[in-house]
């Protein structure tokens, strides 16, 4: 009854089903892993945002790195902005998904070390090659507060660090790379650049520009606000379960159709007229 399963068409179909099932199961676990990673990151962000601010130099160092558990940690720093060596980061969006620049300004601490501060978003100028007009920060010695972030990399962000950009324009906020650019530009304070950077939260800019980068929303829900990874994981597993079910349904339908065709064939032969016999001479 099911000998048709040995036909070329059904062998190929069966092999495809056998390949699809483990692939879909793997995709489900991959989405689940991303969901777990996101939940772990949410816990780090929530803890960092709830903690009291600490000096930035206590969580980062020259030539070091920002620990994963310290990202988004509120930090303070005392010193002055070095606007002469200010940079902009291209292809960044604001809260309304408008494309523009982030303003990256070296902040020279009282001990002479430099901390990179992302002062916020500005719209793209008409010219993509000229350095945009950037509102100046507070002058003189001040204390800034912000969220500590890890250095951006191509592997983590997916942003390619293209060379040959206009002067003082970058695509990635990476303290090591930007420190080298600052030293090449003659910034004496860039001999010691602290790892990572800070997203400024205060003091707020006059006139609202640059636009401060909004703080991530705290998320302690079990699934995660806007989290699509867990539903995708369940979806892939449902698909994996549906493959053998669909294969079985198709096989049974094929078997019924073949059985029906086999029973109808003799009946059709009986109803058809017999061929005329030969006439004898």
């Amino acid at each position: 009854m099911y000998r048709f399963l040995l036909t070329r068409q059904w062998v190929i179909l069966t092999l495809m089903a056998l390949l699809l099932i483990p692939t879909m199961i793997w995709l489900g676990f991959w989405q689940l892993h991303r969901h777990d990673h996101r939940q772990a990151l949410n816990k780090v962000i929530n803890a960092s945002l709830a903690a009291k601010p600490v000096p930035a130099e206590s969580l980062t160092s020259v030539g070091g790195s920002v620990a994963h558990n310290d990202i988004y940690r509120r930090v303070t720093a005392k010193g002055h902005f070095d606007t002469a060596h200010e940079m902009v980061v291209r292809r960044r969006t604001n809260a309304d998904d408008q494309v523009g620049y982030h303003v990256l300004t070296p902040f020279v601490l009282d001990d002479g070390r430099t901390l990179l501060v992302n002062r916020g978003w500005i719209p793209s100028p008409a010219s993509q090659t000229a350095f945009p007009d950037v509102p100046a920060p507070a002058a003189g010695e001040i204390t800034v507060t912000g969220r500590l972030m890890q250095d951006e990399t191509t592997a983590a962000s997916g942003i390619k660090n293209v060379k040959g950009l206009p002067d003082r324009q970058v695509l990635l906020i990476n303290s090591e790379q930007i420190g080298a650019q600052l030293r090449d530009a003659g910034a004496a304070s860039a001999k010691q650049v602290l790892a990572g950077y800070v997203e400024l939260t205060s003091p707020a800019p006059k006139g609202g520009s640059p636009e401060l980068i909004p703080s991530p929303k705290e998320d302690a829900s079990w699934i995660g606000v806007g989290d699509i990874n867990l539903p995708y994981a369940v979806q892939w597993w449902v698909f994996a379960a549906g493959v053998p079910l669909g294969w079985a349904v198709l096989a049974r339908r094929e078997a019924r159709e073949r059985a029906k065709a086999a029973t109808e064939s003799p009946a059709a032969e009986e109803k058809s007229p017999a061929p005329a016999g030969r006439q004898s001479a």
Side-chain angles (χ1 to χ4, degrees):
M1 184 177 181
Y2 286 92
R3 292 185 63 183
F4 64 88
L5 295 177
L6 299 177
T7 62
R8 182 173 178 271
Q9 177 184 357
W10 272 94
V11 168
I12 294 175
L13 183 63
T14 302
L15 289 175
M16 289 180 61
L18 292 175
L19 287 173
L20 282 174
I21 293 171
T23 300
M24 291 178 175
I25 292 174
W26 179 84
L27 287 171
F29 279 108
W30 176 65
Q31 290 287 356
L32 182 63
H33 174 73
R34 294 188 64 185
H35 165 76
D36 292 340
H37 174 76
R38 177 168 179 162
Q39 289 297 89
L41 180 60
N42 284 340
K43 291 181 180 179
V44 171
I45 294 174
N46 293 343
S48 294
L49 295 177
K52 294 181 179 180
V54 296
E57 54 267 34
S58 67
L59 298 180
T60 182
S61 60
V62 178
S65 60
V66 176
H68 175 75
N69 287 340
D70 291 330
I71 58 174
Y72 288 96
R73 181 69 186 272
R74 293 189 298 160
V75 295
T76 60
K78 187 177 181 181
H80 66 276
F81 282 110
D82 178 12
T83 55
H85 298 98
E86 193 166 61
M87 295 183 172
V88 291
V89 190
R90 297 167 64 101
R91 302 177 187 174
R92 300 300 166 113
T93 57
N94 64 356
D96 297 324
D97 290 331
Q98 294 177 308
V99 179
Y101 296 160
H102 277 177
V103 179
L104 192 66
T105 311
F107 189 77
V108 184
L109 306 181
D110 289 342
D111 61 9
R113 292 181 294 177
T114 295
L115 177 68
L116 299 178
V117 175
N118 186 342
R119 295 202 291 123
W121 181 90
I122 59 172
S124 296
S127 172
Q128 296 295 307
T129 57
F131 194 80
D133 293 328
V134 181
E141 185 174 83
I142 61 171
T143 298
V144 297
T145 304
R147 297 179 293 268
L148 185 63
M149 305 296 293
Q150 292 178 319
D151 284 320
E152 296 179 342
T153 63
T154 298
S157 66
I159 302 173
K160 294 183 179 179
N161 198 13
V162 180
K163 296 182 179 179
L165 294 174
D167 188 36
R168 297 164 61 192
Q169 297 191 22
V170 296
L171 288 172
L172 289 172
I173 307 178
N174 185 286
S175 61
E176 182 178 355
Q177 297 171 6
I178 292 176
Q181 290 178 286
L182 291 174
R183 289 188 290 272
D184 291 341
S189 60
K191 292 181 179 179
Q192 292 185 309
V193 179
L194 295 170
Y197 66 98
V198 169
E199 290 180 347
L200 184 69
T201 57
S202 69
K206 294 181 180 179
S209 183
E211 295 179 17
L212 293 179
I213 300 172
S215 174
K217 296 179 180 180
E218 293 191 14
D219 182 7
S221 62
W222 73 275
I223 188 172
V225 176
D227 183 8
I228 61 174
N229 300 121
L230 186 59
Y232 277 174
V234 175
Q235 176 179 287
W236 280 119
W237 291 333
V238 170
F239 287 165
V243 169
L245 180 61
W247 181 92
V249 169
L250 289 176
R252 292 192 63 181
R253 181 183 299 172
E254 179 81 5
R256 286 197 302 267
E257 291 178 353
R258 286 174 177 267
K260 183 178 180 181
T263 56
E264 291 179 350
S265 180
E269 292 180 358
E270 292 177 358
K271 293 180 181 180
S272 61
R278 291 182 179 180
Q279 294 181 356
S280 56

